[in-house]
Amino acid sequence: MDITITPQALHGRINSIASKSQAHRLLLCGALSGEAVTVLCSESSEDIDATARCLSALCARTERTPDGFKVSPMQAADTPCLLDCGESGSTLRFLLPVVGALGKQAKFLLSGRLGQRPLSPLWEQLCAHGMTLSREGENGILCGGQLRGGAFTLPGDVSSQFISGLLFALPLLAADSTLTLTGKIESVRYIAMTEAALRQSGIRFTYADGTYKIPGRQKPAFLEKERLQVEGDWSNAAFWLVAGAIGEGITVLGLDTHSLQGDKAIIELLPRFGATVQHEENGITAKKAPMKGIEIDGAQIPDLVPILAVLATAAEGTTRIYGAERLRIKESDRLKTVSAMLTRLGGDITETADGLIVQGKPLCGGTVDSAGDHRIAMAAAVASILCKEAVTIQGAEAVNKSYPGFWEHFTLLGGQIERKERV
């Protein structure tokens, strides 16, 4: 599907959608627990649906309800499981160690670029502790064996999803384990979200001097029929807050300012550029003000980089984003696709080995390719506010991965769009 946008400022109030990152974690803990739980998740997405679908395939019945998901405890089954992860990296990387901890045979199905995204060194750690893993073409992984407890080691600057996957799996094992993280630890907020979900479900562990100590023979445990609330998503809210800062002001409702989500950093970065951010009851408002370019370390906030690059085009002078080399292994090579998108719209942007250099400059408009990446499609939509001519986004349905209601919300905030289905 192609979307053509007639440029104009957005304004108004919008509810935040449910956090995809937290939904993955609560669904998994719920499935591993001994009691049925309800995960209150007002919206779903392709990625959240992938986790729910895989948990059902693992014999934890996961049913969509009007206000979220009802998750029943996982049942014993010896038959091999077929786990369709779609394009969800979290689903694959969380469940791969968990399947080994449960001693199940499974085939993981991967779509899009997921089969090309790295699994090393998690792969080697799992195989060294009893699992058998093999590739079946580019889009399949065969998994078997029983994961054993012991000493696990991962670099701290690999995907935080590898670390989270082991943190979910190791408490389930018969023996105690340690997980040592070496070097600089990146995406620490995502790891903190996993720790919080585990603590909420009663899992015991300690962390000191780079090492987790995790007793075995544990399983998540919630109160009977407990209702687990998924908080608002800061990653997707960032698109509207930036749209407010370059438009006529937008308020996003339902965000927790005490959240562990790393992308909450957007409310610190906007004022650094010079934009106005106001806190009100149950809402955050971003408004336009004169802005200047800044320097941004993207190591802890990689998902914000596409929309921050758009914001930088509205700021006078130069913005430099660095430390974001891991964006090259997302749904697209996001350093390359952000650069291509803004260049096609008339921006002045330079791709570096680990980031982007953006010069503030009015945009013209034009046609851009989402590259099948939800964050590129949404960033291009917000960039249209700065354009003189219409913006056409090819592959605009990519937003379904994390935010299926994005285009509806875009129009609620005053956006003018025309849809064209591809034949």
Side-chain angles (χ1 to χ4, degrees), residues 6-281:
T6 301
Q8 64 179 53
L10 303 185
H11 62 90
R13 299 164 73 86
I14 199 81
N15 288 317
S16 61
I17 65 169
S19 166
K20 179 165 70 83
S21 296
Q22 193 183 38
H24 286 305
R25 289 159 170 82
L26 293 182
L27 285 169
L28 180 51
C29 287
L32 293 171
S33 71
E35 299 288 346
V37 299
T38 296
V39 177
L40 299 174
C41 183
S42 54
E43 299 86 12
S44 192
S45 65
E46 288 180 350
D47 276 11
I48 295 173
D49 288 345
T51 291
R53 179 173 63 240
C54 288
L55 291 173
S56 290
L58 284 168
C59 302
R61 190 175 179 186
T62 307
E63 301 175 89
R64 191 78 171 106
T65 66
D67 59 358
F69 293 88
K70 181 180 178 181
V71 186
S72 300
M74 197 169 288
Q75 303 297 315
D78 295 330
T79 55
C81 305
L82 184 63
L83 307 180
D84 182 359
C85 298
E87 295 186 60
S88 175
S90 294
T91 304
L92 171 63
R93 291 161 171 176
F94 290 178
L95 286 182
L96 199 60
V98 168
V99 167
L102 297 172
K104 291 181 177 287
Q105 287 186 312
K107 178 179 177 179
F108 288 84
L109 296 180
L110 320 176
S111 301
R113 288 189 81 211
L114 185 55
Q116 303 169 32
R117 295 170 68 179
L119 285 170
S120 181
L122 175 63
W123 183 288
E124 291 81 2
Q125 286 290 294
L126 297 178
C127 290
H129 290 82
M131 289 183 66
T132 59
L133 300 171
S134 61
R135 293 274 185 178
E136 187 175 76
E138 189 175 273
N139 297 314
I141 295 175
L142 300 178
C143 170
Q146 174 65 59
L147 188 64
R148 300 187 302 267
F152 293 76
T153 303
L154 287 175
D157 61 355
V158 299
S159 171
S160 65
Q161 293 168 353
F162 294 172
I163 298 165
S164 290
L166 284 175
L167 290 177
F168 286 123
L170 297 184
L172 307 175
L173 303 181
D176 298 349
S177 299
T178 60
L179 171 58
T180 299
L181 307 181
T182 60
K184 181 183 177 182
I185 301 175
E186 296 187 356
S187 296
V188 292
R189 287 288 188 164
Y190 287 106
I191 300 171
M193 291 180 70
T194 299
E195 293 176 354
L198 290 170
R199 290 192 181 99
Q200 185 177 354
S201 64
I203 295 297
R204 296 174 288 107
F205 60 90
T206 61
Y207 178 76
D209 300 324
T211 297
Y212 290 93
K213 293 183 179 179
I214 305 168
R217 298 187 182 279
Q218 300 187 73
K219 64 184 304 184
F222 296 100
L223 298 175
E224 186 175 0
K225 298 181 181 178
E226 185 162 355
R227 295 163 67 84
L228 310 176
Q229 179 67 59
V230 178
E231 65 187 28
D233 191 308
W234 280 96
S235 300
N236 285 318
F239 291 94
W240 302 133
L241 293 172
V242 169
I246 62 178
E248 296 179 358
I250 290 176
T251 300
V252 184
L253 306 172
L255 294 171
D256 181 3
T257 56
H258 300 291
S259 171
L260 292 173
Q261 295 176 55
D263 290 344
K264 184 183 69 173
I266 189 65
I267 57 173
E268 300 169 1
L269 290 163
L270 282 166
R272 284 184 56 203
F273 273 99
T276 299
V277 173
Q278 297 175 343
H279 297 249
E280 56 184 76
E281 186 176 359

